[in-house]
Amino acid sequence: AQSVTQPDIHITVSEGASLELRCNYSYGATPYLFWYVQSPGQGLQLLLKYFSGDTLVQGIKGFEAEFKRSQSSFNLRKPSVHWSDAAEYFCAVGAYNNDMRFGAGTRLTVKP
Amino acid sequence: EAQVTQNPRYLITVTGKKLTVTCSQNMNHEYMSWYRQDPGLGLRQIYYSMNVEVTDKGDVPEGYKVSRKEKRNFPLILESPSPNQTSLYFCASSPLSRQGYGELFFGEGSRLTVL
């Protein structure tokens, strides 16, 4: 079965600084990759997804992610973080029958 | 408004008292699923359903039951709750492409405490 590793449990960045959240996956076939964001007390919201095609994917709220097959990675980036980006971020890999596996999450704190 | 609705949002119960968490979606999605979220473990799938009357176990099904009698509803049943089922529960739905996958739409979560 597929699996996801998010190496960073907690990241702190200053407002206006750039952000990169790491995600590594393990899956034998072509993966379907997702990033979700969870604000406190809320459900998860899709930021972006990769199914096929261009390996650089644009999402909502100014986020992007790059699929690198050779590194089994799907890192999330944002050039300039806003205080409202403070949340928990989950990477997920999907397979046939929508079998979705989530990473443990990365909590982002934004310093003023 | 397209949404997934879970009830109750918060529940405190005692060991052994049967409870049901309801989930309803208004997007006509074929796929529905239940997850539990625990600190440091991310989301783990409990059960999922590819369509009406079709359900299957996820990674952590022990102690849970589900049913899918209608396309829009997917209740989660805890027949005899135990303290280790204290968790945050999420229902999700998804349209399915011909390839059998799609993005998940989540409810707002149900926080369950079993004493």
Side-chain angles (χ1 to χ4, degrees), chain A:
Chain A
Q2 69 275 35
S3 65
V4 176
T5 302
Q6 294 180 245
D8 304 304
I9 296 172
H10 183 208
I11 283 182
T12 299
V13 299
S14 297
E15 191 167 14
S18 64
L19 171 70
E20 182 169 29
L21 301 182
R22 295 183 292 164
C23 171
N24 294 99
Y25 69 89
S26 173
Y27 186 54
T30 301
Y32 310 119
L33 297 162
F34 306 82
W35 274 100
Y36 289 88
V37 61
Q38 183 181 28
S39 299
Q42 301 292 316
L44 280 75
Q45 180 185 19
L46 180 73
L47 280 176
L48 47 77
K49 62 189 177 190
Y50 171 79
F51 285 173
S52 65
D54 193 346
T55 56
L56 184 62
V57 180
Q58 302 298 319
I60 62 171
K61 305 185 182 187
F63 286 93
E64 66 176 27
E66 186 170 12
F67 169 55
K68 293 186 177 180
R69 186 186 299 275
S70 62
Q71 298 177 19
S72 297
S73 69
F74 189 56
N75 294 347
L76 182 71
R77 300 193 294 248
K78 186 169 185 178
S80 177
V81 170
H82 188 263
W83 63 266
S84 61
D85 294 323
E88 188 145 23
Y89 292 80
F90 293 92
C91 181
V93 58
Y96 183 70
N97 273 358
N98 231 15
D99 183 10
M100 194 87 68
R101 302 300 169 101
F102 288 82
T106 298
R107 185 162 62 92
L108 174 65
T109 297
V110 180
K111 289 192 304 184

Side-chain angles (χ1 to χ4, degrees), chain B residues 13-99:
Chain B
T13 189
V14 296
T15 299
K17 186 175 181 181
K18 180 180 178 180
L19 68 92
T20 299
V21 186
T22 63
C23 175
S24 181
Q25 52 97 0
N26 62 1
M27 295 170 279
N28 202 35
H29 288 165
E30 299 92 343
Y31 180 94
M32 296 186 75
S33 182
W34 276 102
Y35 297 86
R36 61 177 288 174
Q37 182 181 17
D38 302 289
L41 297 178
L43 278 78
R44 293 178 293 166
Q45 190 178 56
I46 303 170
Y47 269 94
Y48 67 96
S49 170
M50 298 295 288
N51 215 323
V52 176
E53 301 292 1
V54 180
T55 63
D56 213 340
K57 296 178 180 178
D59 293 325
V60 289
E62 295 78 19
Y64 305 95
K65 284 175 55 178
V66 293
S67 68
R68 187 93 182 271
K69 295 184 172 62
E70 306 165 282
K71 198 170 188 179
R72 64 183 292 121
N73 295 324
F74 191 46
L76 179 70
I77 303 158
L78 285 74
E79 293 270 4
S80 182
S82 62
N84 65 12
Q85 293 179 296
T86 292
S87 187
L88 179 59
Y89 291 86
F90 286 101
C91 180
S93 70
S94 171
L96 291 179
S97 67
R98 283 180 300 165
Q99 293 79 11

